[in-house]
Amino acid sequence: MRKKIVAGNWKMNNDLAETEALLQELKKQVIPEQVSVFVAPAYTNLQHAFESLRDHPIAVAAQNMHQSDHGAFTGEVSAAMLTSVGVKTVILGHSERRAYFAEDNALLAEKVNTALQHEMTVIFCIGETLQERKEGNYFEVVTKQLEESVFHISEKDWPHIVLAYEPVWAIGTGETASPQQAQEMHEKIRSIVASTYTESIADSVSILYGGSVKPENATEIFGQPDVDGGLIGGASLNAQSFMEIVNAFV
Ligand code: PEP
């Protein structure tokens, strides 16, 4: 059985006090055993979040990291720095990193390698823009992202990879891919993992959907056979809506 995962990407929201307030709300909730839940606060609050959640099933992820282990990279944070404060999971390839910080497939391949070298789990985001969707070449776009950033890894590294299909046109826009559109892409992604690696790797990798998931649409999206959970932006900033999404599996 594939792992069910719901991860909240808090982006550049919540200072320390707000982080703690949201964590306190989340810690009051019962996390269903069959769902792995992550929250990804800003760098400054990762250590606090890790300590605050120490005896709690919710795990902490980072939203990004640098590909180098150390050096003159002003403003950046390394994998070793993340693991030293307890963070073992990192989101890479988010469309906002690709669009606003010029992160391309080659750079993301380096980041994937570094994260794996540090035995971190990677939530790797892929997805097409609105124009690419309209042009009808969205399968090719996502395939290329995988080929150039992920498909060089060895079979043994796949247990450390989670994929997140996030159509860029659905992120923070209130527009959601229909459950059928999500399923069609997730099935495609699983089939290219199978043809590049093995059926068993494809069967085991969790593929999350991200893009305006809300309590109202989570059940139907998560009900698709190849959708194993969600990467949640806006709705993860409120404990109640995030938990309703987590409980959409139950
Ligand atoms: C995201 O940023 O990964 C995301 C899916 O955001 P939202 O849920 O707000 O669309």
Side-chain angles (χ1 to χ4, degrees):
M1 251 266 279
R2 282 192 292 274
K3 237 193 248 168
K4 305 287 183 203
I5 299 172
V6 177
N9 174 12
W10 294 0
K11 310 191 184 186
M12 198 173 73
N13 295 294
N14 292 338
D15 64 16
L16 182 59
E18 290 161 338
T19 294
E20 178 54 16
L22 182 48
L23 290 173
Q24 285 302 333
E25 283 300 307
L26 290 171
K27 281 158 67 175
K28 288 183 203 153
Q29 316 289 327
V30 177
I31 306 297
E33 255 176 45
Q34 70 272 35
V35 188
S36 297
V37 178
F38 293 85
V39 291
Y43 281 143
T44 51
N45 302 321
L46 286 174
Q47 182 171 12
H48 176 81
F50 176 76
E51 296 298 340
S52 179
L53 291 167
R54 198 175 267 282
D55 296 316
H56 196 276
I58 297 179
V60 179
Q63 299 173 20
N64 181 37
M65 53 160 248
H66 195 267
Q67 65 276 19
S68 299
D69 280 340
H70 46 75
F73 300 106
T74 302
E76 291 291 334
V77 167
S78 71
M81 291 170 185
L82 295 176
T83 57
S84 75
V85 297
V87 177
K88 296 197 167 79
T89 302
V90 61
I91 299 169
L92 293 177
H94 192 281
S95 64
E96 288 154 13
R97 298 296 317 172
R98 293 176 189 263
Y100 307 144
F101 302 95
E103 296 198 0
D104 62 16
N105 292 343
L107 172 74
L108 291 168
E110 285 185 54
K111 291 193 179 202
V112 167
N113 291 343
T114 304
L116 293 173
Q117 278 156 16
H118 286 264
E119 298 181 354
M120 296 180 79
T121 292
V122 175
I123 300 176
F124 192 81
C125 305
I126 48 189
E128 79 285 358
T129 61
L130 183 58
Q131 194 181 337
E132 289 160 344
R133 166 78 33 183
K134 283 186 176 154
E135 286 166 0
N137 56 355
Y138 41 96
F139 285 147
E140 289 77 4
V141 170
V142 166
T143 303
K144 189 167 152 67
Q145 290 170 336
L146 286 170
E147 282 173 353
E148 295 185 359
S149 302
V150 181
F151 282 177
H152 61 280
I153 68 170
S154 65
E155 290 192 8
K156 71 166 180 30
D157 286 324
W158 274 93
H160 299 284
I161 299 286
V162 173
L163 299 175
Y165 169 56
E166 298 210 304
V168 181
W169 46 274
I171 296 181
T173 59
E175 274 222 34
T176 322
S178 68
Q180 295 70 29
Q181 285 172 320
Q183 170 56 26
E184 181 190 37
M185 181 60 93
H186 283 227
E187 194 180 344
K188 173 74 180 171
I189 293 167
R190 209 176 294 289
S191 80
I192 51 179
V193 174
S195 55
T196 311
Y197 288 88
T198 62
E199 287 285 347
S200 133
I201 287 174
D203 274 349
S204 313
V205 63
S206 295
I207 309 177
L208 315 184
Y209 169 79
S212 300
V213 176
K214 305 271 179 282
E216 305 80 60
N217 57 26
T219 306
E220 207 184 346
I221 295 174
F222 293 175
Q224 301 304 306
D226 286 294
V227 177
D228 305 306
L231 180 54
I232 318 298
S236 70
L237 294 170
N238 176 286
Q240 193 187 329
S241 58
F242 187 59
M243 285 310 301
E244 282 180 41
I245 294 170
V246 169
N247 284 308
F249 286 111
V250 181

